Amino acid sequence: MSSSLDHFADRLAAAVRAKKTPLCVGLDPRWDQLPAQIRKRHGGDTLPSIARAYEEFCARVLDVVASQVAVVKPQSAFFEACGPRGMTALTRSLERARRVGLLSILDAKRNDIASTGAAYADAALAGVTWDGRTHPVWDADALTINPYLGRDAVEPFIDAARRSGRGIFVLVRTSNPGARQFQDLDCAGKPLYVHVAQAVGAWAGENQGKSGFGLVGAVIGATYPAELASLRQMLPNVFFLIPGYGEQGGGAKDVAGGFRADGLGAVVNSSRGIIFSFEPDDANWEAAVATAASKARADLALAAPGLA
Amino acid sequence: MSSSLDHFADRLAAAVRAKKTPLCVGLDPRWDQLPAQIRKRHGGDTLPSIARAYEEFCARVLDVVASQVAVVKPQSAFFEACGPRGMTALTRSLERARRVGLLSILDAKRNDIASTGAAYADAALAGVTWDGRTHPVWDADALTINPYLGRDAVEPFIDAARRSGRGIFVLVRTSNPGARQFQDLDCAGKPLYVHVAQAVGAWAGENQGKSGFGLVGAVIGATYPAELASLRQMLPNVFFLIPGYGEQGGGAKDVAGGFRADGLGAVVNSSRGIIFSFEPDDANWEAAVATAASKARADLALAAPGLA
């Protein structure tokens, strides 16, 4: 059993190997798609009631998928949209993920400079320290980061991750259609996202675990399979977080290029395709979630046969 | 008196003109710099106690500066670092800013794609709508945004701002020393930040108020005065938010290039230089804050004489 102070990439690699799947389940709760039974129980006329519904829904999803996957990715935006009580729901969902043996990647795409970046990093990962006491806040295993501000704004996140056995995933190539507008600009002979990718490769190389992977990973969309495969070659030490699989259009063959021969090197996120794989009035919705996760596992086994 | 549904840039221009200063006060609360009397009253052994201290501190700062400035900029990171109760403190600080007649720019540097971006935008600006009811969440007048994901990820923020008379400020050139790493890459003959600036100019042009300014603004650091002045020429319709003045090293002459001849076109943020312009055990700390704000106003009057 790995301790939470072991290197993040080692914990992630071990967990993926143990569960034999790169599947990551995205927790993106949306009020109008929740099971009707949960909506009824909590109402929905106030932000706190919606937050409580999200908390119950995520807890039940976590219990269903705990045996099937290694890692989950809560999307901060949907919890933030419920106000302070939403952040309580997020904290409790992150706690429950840990309790049921899952790693968590908090998808919040944060970044800022100097002590402000450090405040985000400590909140998400290491815990904040005042008067000599450290208080955990969100307490996720990893956090997504935006690179636009440059290295000195990524450094506080690397530092917090290093101190606490956590990790970060830096946006390199996002999954949206408009990603090309800036990320593909030809900058001194190569696209911007390749410059960012090379920086991520260097940061990962400076912070490697025994697995050979660094605690700095990269976000690379399944919707750009050619870029994904070429980045896999360029960044042997970088773990990828691949969004855009499933509902956003990416399939197993699109993500296949993201893995090493041994099946390690990437986790592939699916949100709606798993957690909303039922009609709201389906009383058996948890069985539908379990089935959707199994199907995604089977599909991804074609992309990462090395894990079998 | 302007209504909160008027165009954001018109409200901002009118408020700056009425207060005759471009000064924006940054609300970046830090536990170890708070007045000793506030620390004593709230303790500091738990996250909620620190959040309550931040709330009191910000309320008192807002009351002091309300007559002196047009706009304040709470930094989300410091509130988030206190957990859910910190978000309550943030909400209440934003409410109080409005009550005392101040506009607010929530500095959270958010971004994400599609419906996730919309969740952030609705939470910060327009309010979230479920089952036909709209619930305000943070309810700021404007929000800072990161451009790395491209236009389709900025669009939900523009849309929310348009519906609600709010604004956004897109990171163009940040104030940190490492900003050059990616922002200055030569992309097809001009630096990346100029590509972003031109996109911001187009988005602003599509969403102009009667003042001629658009609801999409740009963040440009005081620490890069030459870039600031050239961007002012390039983007006549874009309101700038200028961080990096004061404690980060920018002075009045560094920001002078950010204004039009009439003194409009930019707000200049100072955080620590105003809200922590005293020793923690100074019982008269509010007088020190008022004095620091007056001094910054006088200094900035040299940069924007058109407002006098």
Side-chain angles (χ1 to χ4, degrees):
Chain A
M1 198 63 200
S2 67
S3 129
S4 71
L5 279 176
D6 286 347
H7 190 282
F8 170 71
D10 295 348
R11 294 198 288 137
L12 181 60
V16 165
R17 228 188 253 116
K19 295 285 178 63
K20 298 183 194 297
T21 180
L23 180 63
C24 170
V25 173
L27 300 175
D28 296 28
R30 291 155 201 260
W31 173 248
D32 54 7
Q33 293 179 276
L34 291 187
Q37 54 178 248
I38 293 181
R39 287 175 55 124
K40 248 179 237 139
R41 184 158 40 250
H42 294 280
D45 45 343
T46 65
L47 295 173
S49 70
I50 289 167
R52 283 190 292 270
Y54 283 5
E55 184 178 321
E56 180 187 342
F57 175 65
C58 290
R60 292 171 70 172
V61 168
L62 287 165
D63 290 351
V64 170
V65 302
S67 61
Q68 297 183 289
V69 301
V71 56
V72 292
K73 181 176 78 65
Q75 171 50 256
S76 190
F78 298 112
F79 296 93
E80 290 183 46
C82 297
R85 185 60 182 80
M87 302 312 264
T88 301
L90 173 59
T91 309
R92 292 187 184 164
S93 300
L94 287 162
E95 268 171 16
R96 193 178 192 102
R98 177 159 302 146
R99 213 158 54 233
V100 301
L102 293 165
L103 293 176
S104 59
I105 302 170
L106 178 57
D107 194 358
K109 298 186 175 59
R110 294 295 195 268
N111 206 344
D112 211 309
I113 66 176
S115 60
T116 310
Y120 280 132
D122 287 346
L125 303 174
V128 296
T129 300
W130 287 299
D131 297 339
R133 287 190 194 86
T134 298
H135 311 256
V137 186
W138 313 125
D139 210 10
D141 291 296
L143 176 70
T144 57
I145 295 292
N146 187 307
Y148 187 71
L149 288 79
R151 174 170 186 140
D152 59 347
V154 177
E155 202 60 62
F157 293 90
I158 295 177
D159 180 59
R162 203 189 277 134
R163 282 186 279 118
S164 57
R166 313 297 167 99
I168 62 174
F169 288 90
V170 178
L171 300 183
V172 168
R173 155 59 87 178
T174 54
S175 62
N176 55 315
R180 293 195 185 284
Q181 180 177 14
F182 300 124
Q183 295 166 27
D184 270 11
L185 283 173
D186 177 24
C187 300
K190 54 196 178 200
L192 173 62
Y193 78 87
V194 171
H195 288 267
V196 175
Q198 289 173 332
V200 168
W203 301 333
E206 293 159 17
N207 296 282
Q208 272 174 292
K210 291 176 203 140
S211 61
F213 291 107
L215 58 78
V216 183
V219 176
I220 301 165
T223 42
Y224 296 97
E227 286 86 342
L228 178 62
S230 97
L231 289 167
R232 175 75 288 154
Q233 301 310 309
M234 188 187 302
L235 303 172
N237 305 322
V238 178
F239 229 104
F240 294 171
L241 166 61
I242 306 179
Y245 167 80
E247 294 289 310
Q248 280 185 57
K253 74 175 185 323
D254 297 311
V255 301
F259 298 94
R260 297 196 314 201
D262 65 359
L264 286 179
V267 290
V268 179
N269 186 71
S270 177
S271 300
R272 282 168 285 173
I274 292 177
I275 69 167
F276 293 126
S277 54
F278 52 82
E279 294 300 318
D281 57 0
D282 183 351
N284 259 331
W285 66 271
E286 284 156 302
V289 169
T291 302
S294 294
K295 277 189 189 156
R297 280 178 56 120
D299 185 46
L300 289 173
L302 306 172
L307 288 175
Chain B
M1 196 63 200
S2 67
S3 128
S4 70
L5 279 177
D6 286 346
H7 190 283
F8 170 71
D10 295 348
R11 294 197 288 138
L12 180 61
V16 165
R17 227 188 253 114
K19 296 284 179 62
K20 298 184 194 300
T21 181
L23 180 62
C24 170
V25 173
L27 300 175
D28 296 28
R30 290 155 201 258
W31 173 248
D32 53 6
Q33 292 178 276
L34 291 187
Q37 54 179 247
I38 293 181
R39 286 175 55 123
K40 247 179 237 142
R41 184 158 40 251
H42 294 279
D45 45 343
T46 65
L47 295 172
S49 70
I50 288 167
R52 283 190 292 270
Y54 284 5
E55 184 179 321
E56 179 186 342
F57 175 65
C58 290
R60 291 172 71 172
V61 169
L62 287 165
D63 290 352
V64 170
V65 302
S67 61
Q68 297 183 290
V69 301
V71 56
V72 292
K73 181 176 79 65
Q75 171 50 255
S76 191
F78 298 112
F79 296 94
E80 291 182 45
C82 298
R85 184 62 182 78
M87 301 313 263
T88 301
L90 173 60
T91 308
R92 291 186 184 164
S93 299
L94 287 161
E95 268 172 16
R96 193 178 191 103
R98 178 159 301 146
R99 212 158 55 234
V100 299
L102 293 165
L103 293 176
S104 59
I105 302 170
L106 178 56
D107 194 358
K109 298 187 173 59
R110 294 294 195 268
N111 206 345
D112 211 310
I113 67 175
S115 60
T116 310
Y120 279 132
D122 288 345
L125 303 173
V128 296
T129 301
W130 287 299
D131 298 339
R133 287 190 195 85
T134 298
H135 311 256
V137 186
W138 313 124
D139 210 12
D141 291 297
L143 176 70
T144 57
I145 295 293
N146 187 308
Y148 187 72
L149 288 79
R151 174 170 186 139
D152 59 347
V154 177
E155 202 59 63
F157 294 90
I158 295 178
D159 180 59
R162 203 189 276 134
R163 281 185 280 118
S164 57
R166 312 297 167 98
I168 62 174
F169 288 90
V170 178
L171 301 183
V172 168
R173 155 59 85 178
T174 54
S175 62
N176 54 316
R180 294 195 184 282
Q181 180 177 15
F182 300 125
Q183 295 166 27
D184 270 12
L185 282 173
D186 177 24
C187 300
K190 56 195 177 200
L192 172 61
Y193 79 87
V194 172
H195 288 268
V196 176
Q198 290 173 331
V200 168
W203 300 334
E206 293 159 17
N207 296 281
Q208 272 175 292
K210 290 177 205 140
S211 62
F213 291 107
L215 59 76
V216 183
V219 176
I220 302 165
T223 43
Y224 296 96
E227 287 87 341
L228 178 62
S230 98
L231 289 167
R232 175 74 288 153
Q233 301 310 309
M234 188 187 302
L235 303 173
N237 305 322
V238 177
F239 229 105
F240 294 171
L241 166 61
I242 305 180
Y245 166 80
E247 293 289 310
Q248 280 185 58
K253 73 174 186 323
D254 297 311
V255 302
F259 298 95
R260 296 195 316 201
D262 65 358
L264 287 179
V267 291
V268 179
N269 186 71
S270 178
S271 300
R272 282 168 284 172
I274 292 177
I275 69 168
F276 293 125
S277 55
F278 52 83
E279 294 300 319
D281 58 0
D282 183 350
N284 258 332
W285 66 271
E286 285 155 302
V289 168
T291 302
S294 293
K295 278 190 189 156
R297 279 179 55 118
D299 185 47
L300 289 173
L302 306 172
L307 288 175

